[in-house]
Protein backbone atom coordinates (compact mmCIF):
# COMPACT_ATOMS: atom_id res chain seq x y z
CA UNK A 1 0.00 0.00 0.00
CA UNK A 2 1.66 3.24 -1.14
CA UNK A 3 1.05 6.33 1.00
CA UNK A 4 1.61 9.74 -0.65
CA UNK A 5 4.37 11.20 1.51
CA UNK A 6 7.52 13.31 1.41
CA UNK A 7 10.23 13.01 0.20
CA UNK A 8 8.58 10.12 -1.72
CA UNK A 9 5.69 7.66 -1.34
CA UNK A 10 5.82 5.39 1.70
CA UNK A 11 5.24 1.63 1.17
CA UNK A 12 3.06 0.78 4.20
CA UNK A 13 3.00 -2.89 5.19
CA UNK A 14 0.14 -2.94 7.72
CA UNK A 15 0.81 -6.35 9.35
CA UNK A 16 4.35 -5.21 10.18
CA UNK A 17 3.47 -1.65 11.19
CA UNK A 18 2.48 0.05 14.45
CA UNK A 19 0.96 3.45 15.14
CA UNK A 20 2.99 5.09 17.93
CA UNK A 21 1.17 7.84 19.83
CA UNK A 22 3.62 9.88 21.86
CA UNK A 23 2.62 11.46 25.20
CA UNK A 24 -0.95 12.57 24.44
CA UNK A 25 -1.36 12.95 28.19
CA UNK A 26 -3.27 15.54 30.20
CA UNK A 27 0.03 17.00 31.54
CA UNK A 28 0.82 18.45 28.13
CA UNK A 29 -2.58 19.02 26.53
CA UNK A 30 -5.14 20.16 29.08
CA UNK A 31 -5.47 23.55 30.78
CA UNK A 32 -4.10 23.33 34.34
CA UNK A 33 -1.50 20.71 33.37
CA UNK A 34 2.29 20.82 33.42
CA UNK A 35 2.56 22.35 29.95
CA UNK A 36 0.18 25.14 30.84
CA UNK A 37 1.98 25.91 34.12
CA UNK A 38 5.15 26.48 32.09
CA UNK A 39 3.28 29.25 30.29
CA UNK A 40 2.61 27.35 27.08
CA UNK A 41 -0.50 27.76 24.94
CA UNK A 42 -1.99 24.27 25.23
CA UNK A 43 -4.76 25.14 22.74
CA UNK A 44 -2.18 24.59 20.00
CA UNK A 45 -1.80 20.97 21.08
CA UNK A 46 -5.52 20.44 21.73
CA UNK A 47 -6.21 21.41 18.13
CA UNK A 48 -4.71 18.18 16.73
CA UNK A 49 -6.96 15.89 18.81
CA UNK A 50 -9.71 15.47 16.15
CA UNK A 51 -7.16 14.46 13.49
CA UNK A 52 -5.52 12.06 15.95
CA UNK A 53 -8.91 10.54 16.77
CA UNK A 54 -9.73 10.00 13.09
CA UNK A 55 -6.33 8.42 12.44
CA UNK A 56 -6.58 6.17 15.49
CA UNK A 57 -10.11 5.07 14.57
CA UNK A 58 -9.05 4.18 11.01
CA UNK A 59 -5.97 2.31 12.27
CA UNK A 60 -8.01 0.32 14.80
CA UNK A 61 -10.62 -0.57 12.16
CA UNK A 62 -7.83 -1.84 9.90
CA UNK A 63 -6.52 -4.01 12.76
CA UNK A 64 -3.15 -2.27 13.15
CA UNK A 65 -1.10 -2.42 16.36
CA UNK A 66 -1.25 0.69 18.54
CA UNK A 67 1.41 1.88 21.01
CA UNK A 68 0.67 4.68 23.49
CA UNK A 69 3.44 6.34 25.49
CA UNK A 70 3.35 8.60 28.52
CA UNK A 71 6.27 10.64 29.85
CA UNK A 72 6.11 9.29 33.39
CA UNK A 73 8.41 8.80 36.34
CA UNK A 74 8.14 6.44 39.30
CA UNK A 75 6.60 8.06 42.39
CA UNK A 76 9.98 7.91 44.18
CA UNK A 77 11.60 9.64 41.16
CA UNK A 78 14.36 7.02 41.11
CA UNK A 79 14.19 7.11 37.31
CA UNK A 80 14.37 10.92 37.07
CA UNK A 81 17.94 12.18 36.87
CA UNK A 82 18.53 15.34 38.94
CA UNK A 83 19.79 16.99 35.75
CA UNK A 84 16.30 16.60 34.23
CA UNK A 85 14.46 17.65 37.40
CA UNK A 86 16.55 20.69 38.22
CA UNK A 87 17.28 22.11 34.79
CA UNK A 88 16.30 25.75 34.51
CA UNK A 89 15.60 25.95 38.26
CA UNK A 90 11.82 26.07 37.63
CA UNK A 91 9.32 27.00 40.32
CA UNK A 92 7.55 23.68 39.72
CA UNK A 93 9.58 20.57 39.06
CA UNK A 94 8.85 16.96 38.08
CA UNK A 95 7.34 15.22 41.13
CA UNK A 96 5.91 18.42 42.66
CA UNK A 97 2.19 18.90 43.10
CA UNK A 98 0.97 20.83 40.05
CA UNK A 99 -0.19 24.45 40.26
CA UNK A 100 -3.90 23.78 40.81
CA UNK A 101 -3.52 20.40 42.49
CA UNK A 102 -6.20 18.64 40.43
CA UNK A 103 -3.67 17.14 38.02
CA UNK A 104 -1.61 15.64 40.87
CA UNK A 105 2.17 15.36 40.84
CA UNK A 106 3.91 16.52 37.67
CA UNK A 107 4.91 13.72 35.25
CA UNK A 108 4.46 11.02 37.89
CA UNK A 109 2.95 7.67 36.88
CA UNK A 110 -0.61 7.10 38.05
CA UNK A 111 -1.39 10.78 38.73
CA UNK A 112 -4.49 12.33 37.06
CA UNK A 113 -2.38 14.56 34.81
CA UNK A 114 -0.37 11.60 33.62
CA UNK A 115 -3.38 9.86 32.03
CA UNK A 116 -3.78 9.78 28.28
CA UNK A 117 -6.55 12.19 27.27
CA UNK A 118 -10.00 10.62 27.17
CA UNK A 119 -10.42 11.16 23.40
CA UNK A 120 -7.45 8.87 22.70
CA UNK A 121 -7.73 6.48 25.65
CA UNK A 122 -6.11 3.09 25.04
CA UNK A 123 -8.31 0.03 24.58
CA UNK A 124 -7.62 -3.62 25.43
CA UNK A 125 -4.83 -5.15 23.38
CA UNK A 126 -2.93 -1.90 22.82
CA UNK A 127 0.56 -1.38 24.23
CA UNK A 128 0.87 1.38 26.85
CA UNK A 129 4.32 2.30 28.09
CA UNK A 130 5.60 4.76 30.67
CA UNK A 131 8.82 6.34 29.47
CA UNK A 132 11.18 8.18 31.80
CA UNK A 133 13.08 9.77 28.93
CA UNK A 134 12.18 11.82 25.89
CA UNK A 135 12.59 8.82 23.60
CA UNK A 136 10.12 5.92 23.63
CA UNK A 137 12.90 3.32 23.51
CA UNK A 138 15.02 4.48 26.45
CA UNK A 139 14.46 2.21 29.50
CA UNK A 140 11.07 0.91 28.31
CA UNK A 141 11.48 -2.49 26.62
CA UNK A 142 9.56 -1.15 23.61
CA UNK A 143 12.05 -2.55 21.08
CA UNK A 144 11.63 -6.07 22.46
CA UNK A 145 7.80 -5.77 22.44
CA UNK A 146 7.87 -4.69 18.79
CA UNK A 147 10.33 -7.40 17.80
CA UNK A 148 8.14 -10.08 19.39
CA UNK A 149 5.27 -8.89 17.19
CA UNK A 150 7.33 -8.69 13.98
CA UNK A 151 6.96 -4.91 13.68
CA UNK A 152 9.32 -3.08 11.29
CA UNK A 153 7.44 0.11 10.46
CA UNK A 154 6.36 2.85 12.88
CA UNK A 155 3.97 5.69 12.10
CA UNK A 156 4.43 8.50 14.63
CA UNK A 157 2.03 11.06 16.04
CA UNK A 158 1.73 12.97 19.31
CA UNK A 159 3.48 15.73 21.23
CA UNK A 160 5.69 17.57 21.26
CA UNK A 161 7.04 17.34 17.74
CA UNK A 162 10.61 18.48 18.32
CA UNK A 163 11.09 16.88 21.74
CA UNK A 164 9.60 13.45 22.49
CA UNK A 165 8.28 12.70 19.00
CA UNK A 166 11.48 13.51 17.15
CA UNK A 167 13.66 11.83 19.78
CA UNK A 168 11.57 8.65 19.54
CA UNK A 169 11.72 8.69 15.76
CA UNK A 170 15.50 8.98 15.80
CA UNK A 171 15.78 6.18 18.36
CA UNK A 172 13.56 4.05 16.12
CA UNK A 173 15.82 4.77 13.14
CA UNK A 174 18.88 3.55 15.00
CA UNK A 175 17.06 0.30 15.80
CA UNK A 176 16.15 -0.39 12.18
CA UNK A 177 12.54 0.86 11.98
CA UNK A 178 11.25 3.33 9.45
CA UNK A 179 8.04 5.20 8.78
CA UNK A 180 6.33 8.56 8.52
CA UNK A 181 5.62 11.33 10.98
CA UNK A 182 1.93 12.27 10.54
CA UNK A 183 2.05 16.00 9.94
CA UNK A 184 -1.40 17.01 11.18
CA UNK A 185 -1.29 14.66 14.18
CA UNK A 186 1.74 16.19 15.86
CA UNK A 187 2.23 19.62 17.41
CA UNK A 188 4.61 21.81 19.35
CA UNK A 189 4.11 24.77 21.67
CA UNK A 190 6.41 26.48 19.14
CA UNK A 191 5.01 26.27 15.58
CA UNK A 192 8.41 27.11 14.10
CA UNK A 193 9.93 24.08 15.86
CA UNK A 194 7.25 21.80 14.38
CA UNK A 195 7.92 23.16 10.90
CA UNK A 196 11.67 22.75 11.33
CA UNK A 197 11.26 19.18 12.59
CA UNK A 198 9.14 18.16 9.60
CA UNK A 199 11.82 19.62 7.32
CA UNK A 200 14.70 17.91 9.06
CA UNK A 201 12.99 14.50 9.20
CA UNK A 202 12.44 14.35 5.43
CA UNK A 203 15.58 16.23 4.31
CA UNK A 204 18.44 14.51 2.49
CA UNK A 205 16.24 11.81 0.99
CA UNK A 206 14.41 11.08 4.26
CA UNK A 207 17.40 10.97 6.57
CA UNK A 208 15.13 10.26 9.57
CA UNK A 209 11.98 9.22 7.70
CA UNK A 210 8.95 10.49 5.86
CA UNK A 211 6.23 13.02 6.59
CA UNK A 212 2.66 12.50 5.44
CA UNK A 213 -0.78 13.91 6.18
CA UNK A 214 -2.85 11.46 8.24
CA UNK A 215 -5.66 11.84 5.70
CA UNK A 216 -3.45 10.04 3.14
CA UNK A 217 -3.11 7.07 5.49
CA UNK A 218 -6.81 7.11 6.41
CA UNK A 219 -7.75 7.11 2.70
CA UNK A 220 -5.41 4.21 1.93
CA UNK A 221 -6.75 2.19 4.87
CA UNK A 222 -10.34 2.83 3.80
CA UNK A 223 -9.55 1.39 0.36
CA UNK A 224 -8.34 -1.96 1.79
C1 LIG B 1 8.40 17.48 26.69
C2 LIG B 1 7.37 15.76 25.35
N1 LIG B 1 8.26 18.42 25.77
N2 LIG B 1 6.49 14.78 25.44
N3 LIG B 1 7.88 16.25 26.53
O1 LIG B 1 8.99 17.74 27.73
O2 LIG B 1 7.69 16.23 24.28
Amino acid sequence: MNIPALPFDYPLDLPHAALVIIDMQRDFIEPGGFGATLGNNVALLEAIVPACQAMLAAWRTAGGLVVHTREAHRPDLSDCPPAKRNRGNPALRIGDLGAMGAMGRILVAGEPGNQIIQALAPVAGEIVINKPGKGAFYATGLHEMLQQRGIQQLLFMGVTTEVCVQTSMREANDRGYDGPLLEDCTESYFPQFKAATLEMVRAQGGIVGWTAPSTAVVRALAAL
Side-chain angles (χ1 to χ4, degrees):
M1 184 188 336
N2 266 355
I3 307 294
L6 291 173
F8 45 87
D9 287 2
Y10 183 69
L12 178 64
D13 176 17
L14 184 61
H16 299 110
L19 177 65
V20 182
I21 309 175
I22 300 289
D23 299 357
M24 291 296 284
Q25 61 201 62
R26 300 180 67 201
D27 290 310
F28 295 121
I29 298 183
E30 292 189 3
F34 180 44
T37 65
L38 293 176
N40 295 304
N41 176 11
V42 294
L44 282 172
L45 273 54
E46 266 183 312
I48 67 165
V49 172
C52 293
Q53 273 186 301
M55 177 62 210
L56 178 57
W59 193 256
R60 282 173 172 161
T61 301
L65 179 67
V66 179
V67 177
H68 303 261
T69 73
R70 291 181 287 234
E71 187 169 346
H73 293 278
R74 295 190 196 119
D76 65 3
L77 303 187
S78 57
D79 58 356
C80 182
K84 179 175 181 182
R85 186 156 192 260
N86 297 331
R87 190 168 308 135
N89 196 24
L92 281 173
R93 301 181 301 172
I94 294 168
D96 291 347
L97 196 60
M100 294 182 230
M103 292 287 204
R105 295 175 65 203
I106 292 168
L107 297 191
V108 169
E111 296 289 331
N114 207 234
Q115 305 310 309
I116 291 168
I117 60 168
Q118 194 54 42
L120 302 174
V123 298
E126 296 179 347
I127 295 174
V128 183
I129 57 169
N130 288 344
K131 61 184 203 26
K134 302 301 185 203
F137 289 85
Y138 170 68
T140 62
L142 177 60
H143 183 48
E144 292 71 23
M145 291 179 225
L146 295 174
Q147 292 298 292
Q148 280 161 11
R149 290 164 175 81
I151 299 298
Q152 291 152 1
Q153 301 186 334
L154 301 177
L155 288 76
F156 281 94
M157 56 192 226
V159 298
T160 60
T161 315
E162 78 282 9
V163 185
C164 291
V165 176
Q166 182 171 207
T167 304
S168 299
M169 216 171 160
R170 289 176 184 274
E171 284 186 330
N173 250 249
D174 288 344
R175 287 163 178 79
Y177 302 93
D178 69 22
L181 172 54
L182 302 179
E183 297 158 8
D184 51 331
C185 293
T186 185
E187 196 48 86
S188 169
Y189 298 122
F190 308 94
Q192 70 275 26
F193 290 172
K194 171 180 173 176
T197 301
L198 295 178
E199 290 277 334
M200 64 180 84
V201 161
R202 63 191 175 216
Q204 303 178 75
I207 195 156
V208 178
W210 289 253
T211 70
S214 67
T215 45
V217 183
V218 170
R219 253 195 311 275
L221 293 174
L224 282 178

